[in-house]
Each structure stands twice: as structure tokens, then as C-alpha cells.
Amino acid sequence: MTLLDGIAARVIDTPRLRVNILERTGDAPETPLEHTIVFLHAHVASSLFWQEIMQDLPGDIRPIAIDLRGFGDTESAPVDATRGVRDFSDDLRATLETLGLGAVHLVGWSLGASVAMQYALEHPVLSLTLQAPISPYGFGGTRRDGTRLTDDDAGCGAAAANPDLVRRIAAGDTSDDASTSPRSVFRSHYVSADYDSDSEDVWVEAMLSTSTAPGDYPGDAVPSSHWPGKAAGVTGVLNALAPRHLDLSGIVGLVPKPPILWIHGTADVVVSDASSQDLNHLGRLGVITGWPGAELAPAQEMVSQTRDVLEAYRAAGGEVTELELEGAGYAAHLERPGGFRRAVLEHIGYLGHPNPALPTEAIILSSSD
């Protein structure tokens, strides 16, 4: 693993599996829980993506970034997709208990945001920060109200995976000679066109740490009588996000309700109402042939679905703040680190709460009183 200055890695044995975590050198393990932040990464990523944010947090904050199963240096283990993301949230529980931690602040990105929400449904947390969260109704295959388009989630889960990207991850491809190489995918899907970083090799390394062993990423696909002819299976990371396996809308009824900060970039092409990874959207564009039309196969309105659920959460008494980062992509924390960091610190009460001062990159769209 390529570690930045001041970041250290260690593998801990939990009752479920061996888990790799990143910490800052010199951080005190007795840091109060209200100043402990646990970071959870996206799929096709690892804890390495959180290093710059960890470096820049105040010294009396204790950040911990965790590699989910099958990513980074955490043990690879098959994902039972029929449980949604519960395999990951159960792993998280085992990790926090092994570290002697109770309720902490969770920051989740994409897959990590789903894991954080699932964890909050089952265990106490101090707060949730959701960056580019996957729709509470899963990835793909649903209408605005969360109802599923087909009974087998056609075009969802591993059925939507790009086989050449999977092949290149397995081969450790660091090139940019094809649009499906991890480096090219990072440039075109994770960040906006004007992003530039000396750490790009680190981010690509994180992507390449994704296990493509059976049961890991992406999982199995099965034949379908619905367009595009294949559907989500029952094992693997992407199938855990299919709508028949994942429904986090129950968070609206959570009691007590932790405060939620939702951060997303306006240039995000992955988690979007017109996602580049939604086969129905690609069919509408003609990229995939045979699309049956918007009545049968509409693009998923991912961002709108998240807003609807979080507005219901707020109406039910929860505190929700939405921060939209202008021009930022899927990995908004890389592109707008200052705004991201300040928003999180305000959210957890470190800078005082409530605090009307927001990062200049962000616009507050909704918040409870």
C-alpha cells in the first residue's frame, strides 16, 4: 500500500475476518468518541482514497479508514448479496468492537454510504455523512418512488458490470490506453475533467486492490427475459446493491435519528439522475441497443430518490443538511477537500453546531431547525 505522510496501516483480527485500517501516526487511541470519525470507501476503491482528508483533520480528531471485505488489504470473503450490504455492516460492527469503539461518526462514500446507513439501522451512531450515496432503493432498476421495474432486477447488479474493466482490474492494469482501464475510469468517472493530482497513482492502486475472486466484485449475473437479457445474481458486491436486495428507505423511521450530512458534486456521472453506469440511461442514449423505451425501462433518478427519502427523514424529525459541490464529481472529497473537511467538522459539532458558516464551494439546500 502506498501511504502518504503521517498515515499508518495495520491489520486487525476480528471474529469475522482480518480487516485493514488506516490511522494517523501519533493519534491517541483514547480520543473521545465524539471526535472519532470512521471512513468507509466506495466500490472499486479502498481506504487509500481517504488519506488526504485524514492528513488535514485537526490533531484532536481521530480518523480511521476501513477497507471493506474484498478491497484494499482486508481479507477477501464472498458477499452474500441476498443480505444487501449486511455482510459489510456486520464486518464494520466486528471491527469497531475489536477496536473498543462504541457509537462513532460514520462517513461513507457510495457503497460506503449504504454500509453506513445499514449500520445505523442496527446500531447507534453519532452522525452520518453520506458522500455520493447510492439511492436508498439500490443501484438501478427502480422508478422515482422506489418500485422495481422487473421482478428479477434486469440490468442491475453484476449484470451492469463492464467485463473489460473487471478483466483489467484482475490484471493490475495501470495504463490509460483504453476507456475501460481503471486509470481512464478514474479520470472519466471519479473526478471532473479539470482535476489534477500528484497522487493519481495512489488512487489507481486503490482501485486495483478490488478483489475479482468469485463472490467478490462484481458478482454473478443470471439470464433474464427482460431487456437487456441479464439480471442481478445472488453473490458479489454489485448484486448487494441491486434493489431486490437493498432497501434503506426504512431509515426514515429510525429512532433516535442521527443527524445526516449529504454531500454530492454537480458533475458526478456515477450517482446521478442520468448515471453513466445505469444501463437504462445508456439504452436511452443508444449506447446499448434494443432499449424498450422509457415506460418499461426509465433511467433511475438516483439523486432525486435520495433527496425524497432524506426529506421524509427530515419531516419525521431528523436533521438533514445537503451540500452540493459545484463542478465536483463522484470523488468530491478529492476535488473539494477544504469544503468537504469543513462541512464534516461542522456536522459533527467540532466547529460548533449549528454553524451558519459553510464552505464557499457548497450550497446549503435543506436543513432542519
Side-chain angles (χ1 to χ4, degrees):
M1 298 179 68
T2 301
L3 300 177
L4 303 185
D5 289 345
I7 305 296
R10 64 181 170 121
V11 174
I12 60 175
D13 288 314
T14 79
R16 291 177 59 80
L17 75 172
R18 296 186 304 278
V19 176
N20 182 69
I21 66 172
L22 299 187
E23 300 168 293
R24 290 188 307 195
T25 57
D27 278 354
E30 65 271 14
T31 300
L33 291 178
E34 61 268 24
H35 285 172
T36 299
I37 307 175
V38 174
F39 293 88
L40 306 171
H41 59 80
H43 63 287
V44 192
S46 79
S47 60
L48 294 179
F49 269 97
W50 293 117
Q51 292 185 91
E52 291 181 343
I53 291 294
M54 294 173 68
Q55 283 180 317
D56 292 341
L57 287 170
D60 53 349
I61 294 285
R62 183 188 181 191
I64 301 171
I66 296 176
D67 282 336
L68 301 175
R69 66 164 61 191
F71 297 95
D73 279 354
T74 286
E75 184 179 356
S76 172
V79 176
D80 180 356
T82 65
R83 303 186 70 230
V85 295
R86 287 181 178 86
D87 277 357
F88 296 111
S89 64
D90 289 350
D91 293 345
L92 173 59
R93 178 66 171 176
T95 302
L96 296 183
E97 287 183 338
T98 300
L99 291 172
L101 299 174
V104 295
H105 301 283
L106 293 181
V107 177
W109 169 31
S110 189
L111 165 64
S114 295
V115 176
M117 293 174 71
Q118 181 65 56
Y119 187 90
L121 285 169
E122 300 170 342
H123 308 287
V125 299
L126 298 181
S127 74
L128 293 173
T129 296
L130 312 175
Q131 175 181 268
I134 290 164
S135 165
Y137 302 115
F139 200 108
T142 59
R143 301 186 187 278
R144 174 75 176 260
D145 65 359
T147 55
R148 291 163 58 206
L149 300 178
T150 66
D151 58 3
D152 61 356
D153 290 349
C156 299
N162 186 307
D164 196 54
L165 171 61
V166 177
R167 182 184 65 80
R168 288 172 180 271
I169 291 172
D173 181 6
T174 62
S175 74
D176 61 358
D177 62 357
S179 62
T180 52
S181 74
R183 188 179 300 274
S184 296
V185 169
F186 172 79
R187 293 173 180 173
S188 62
H189 287 71
Y190 283 45
V191 291
S192 55
D194 59 354
Y195 174 79
D196 183 58
S197 171
D198 292 337
S199 296
E200 183 179 88
D201 287 346
V202 181
W203 316 145
V204 173
E205 176 186 339
M207 297 172 71
L208 290 172
S209 74
T210 302
S211 171
T212 58
D216 292 336
Y217 180 86
D220 62 319
V222 298
S224 173
S225 60
H226 305 285
W227 184 88
K230 54 184 178 178
V234 296
T235 64
V237 176
L238 291 189
N239 292 327
L241 304 176
R244 67 171 161 156
H245 299 147
L246 184 69
D247 183 353
L248 300 171
S249 61
I251 199 167
V252 171
L254 190 62
V255 178
K257 289 179 166 60
I260 294 177
L261 171 63
W262 174 27
I263 302 177
H264 58 109
T266 61
D268 187 347
V269 299
V270 177
V271 178
S272 165
D273 283 358
S275 171
S276 62
Q277 296 186 10
D278 180 357
L279 296 194
N280 289 347
H281 173 61
L282 296 178
R284 180 175 64 184
L285 295 179
V287 176
I288 302 176
T289 60
W291 181 60
E295 180 60 32
L296 294 177
Q300 185 187 24
E301 299 176 79
M302 302 181 192
V303 174
S304 296
Q305 288 176 328
T306 295
R307 182 173 288 110
D308 291 346
V309 169
L310 292 184
E311 284 296 338
Y313 184 89
R314 185 168 67 94
E319 177 187 332
V320 178
T321 302
E322 178 180 351
L323 299 179
E324 189 173 65
L325 295 171
E326 185 64 35
Y330 179 56
H333 67 287
L334 295 183
E335 298 189 76
R336 303 289 188 276
F340 183 93
R341 181 179 62 250
R342 182 174 179 85
V344 170
L345 290 176
E346 288 179 349
H347 179 58
I348 71 171
Y350 183 83
L351 299 181
H353 186 74
N355 191 330
L358 287 168
T360 57
E361 300 96 328
I363 304 169
I364 184 166
L365 299 183
S366 65
S367 176
S368 67
D369 294 331

